[in-house]
């Protein structure tokens, strides 16, 4: 599990993830300088540290490097959530509490994600409406079904 990024590491990685291409220290520096005063060597050190930690890979370009993210921000967020959840002594309660903190939009995103992970309904699996209507999983065993 990756440890959470520090504030400056996150600011740098946000740009690397957003741009989704190899970036130079100068590009990151110029963008960061729109928000704060920061030195070239500071950004260079942060990118070097991120490389050492395995967050970015780099490729030499002349006397400088181009840095590229190793994984996505979504993968980073998922790893943080998984680590926090796995540290709970009651994972079900932790999930209930987490779901309670979610906005309606976040809960809808969760429902969408569950549908994606579960995939399309297989023919062997009963449809939820079939179970609700008949009280049985197999429509053939329902009154009037083929299984009489």
């Amino acid at each position: 599990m990756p440890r959470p990024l520090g504030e400056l590491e996150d600011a740098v990685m946000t740009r690397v993830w957003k741009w989704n291409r190899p970036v130079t220290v100068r590009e990151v520096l110029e963008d960061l300088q729109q928000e704060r005063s920061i030195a070239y060597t500071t950004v260079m050190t942060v990118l070097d540290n991120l490389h050492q930690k395995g967050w970015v890979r780099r490729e030499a370009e002349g006397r400088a490097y181009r840095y590229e993210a190793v994984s996505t921000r979504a993968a980073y967020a998922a790893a943080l959530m998984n680590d926090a959840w796995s540290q709970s002594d009651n994972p079900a309660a932790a999930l209930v509490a987490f779901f309670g903190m979610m906005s309606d939009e976040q809960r809808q995103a969760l429902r969408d994600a569950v549908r994606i992970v579960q995939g399309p309904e297989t023919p062997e699996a009963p449809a939820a409406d079939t179970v609700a209507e008949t009280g049985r999983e197999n429509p053939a065993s329902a009154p009037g079904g083929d299984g009489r």
Side-chain angles (χ1 to χ4, degrees), residues 120-132:
E121 194 171 304
T122 60
E124 299 84 39
D129 57 346
T130 301
V131 174

Side-chain angles (χ1 to χ4, degrees), residues 80-102 107 110:
L80 290 177
M81 288 187 291
N82 186 59
D83 185 56
W85 184 47
S86 68
Q87 292 181 30
S88 173
D89 59 349
N90 187 340
L95 282 176
V96 169
F98 179 63
F99 297 157
M101 295 176 195
M102 295 175 129
R107 280 192 289 279
L110 175 64

Side-chain angles (χ1 to χ4, degrees), residues 13-68:
M13 282 305 300
T14 294
R15 282 143 180 92
V16 175
W17 282 319
K18 180 177 74 173
W19 296 334
N20 196 28
R21 60 172 173 76
V23 299
T24 64
V25 172
R26 175 92 30 220
E27 289 173 309
V28 175
L29 171 72
E30 289 172 358
D31 199 59
L32 281 171
Q33 284 180 330
Q34 293 176 26
E35 298 172 2
R36 64 177 89 189
S37 177
I38 191 166
Y40 180 93
T41 53
T42 301
V43 176
M44 184 174 63
T45 299
V46 170
L47 279 163
D48 185 58
N49 290 342
L50 290 166
H51 175 257
Q52 300 289 330
K53 294 175 182 180
W55 286 104
V56 295
R57 64 180 143 258
R58 66 185 180 192
E59 191 171 312
E61 184 176 278
R63 291 178 28 194
Y65 289 106
R66 283 201 173 267
Y67 296 87
E68 185 174 19

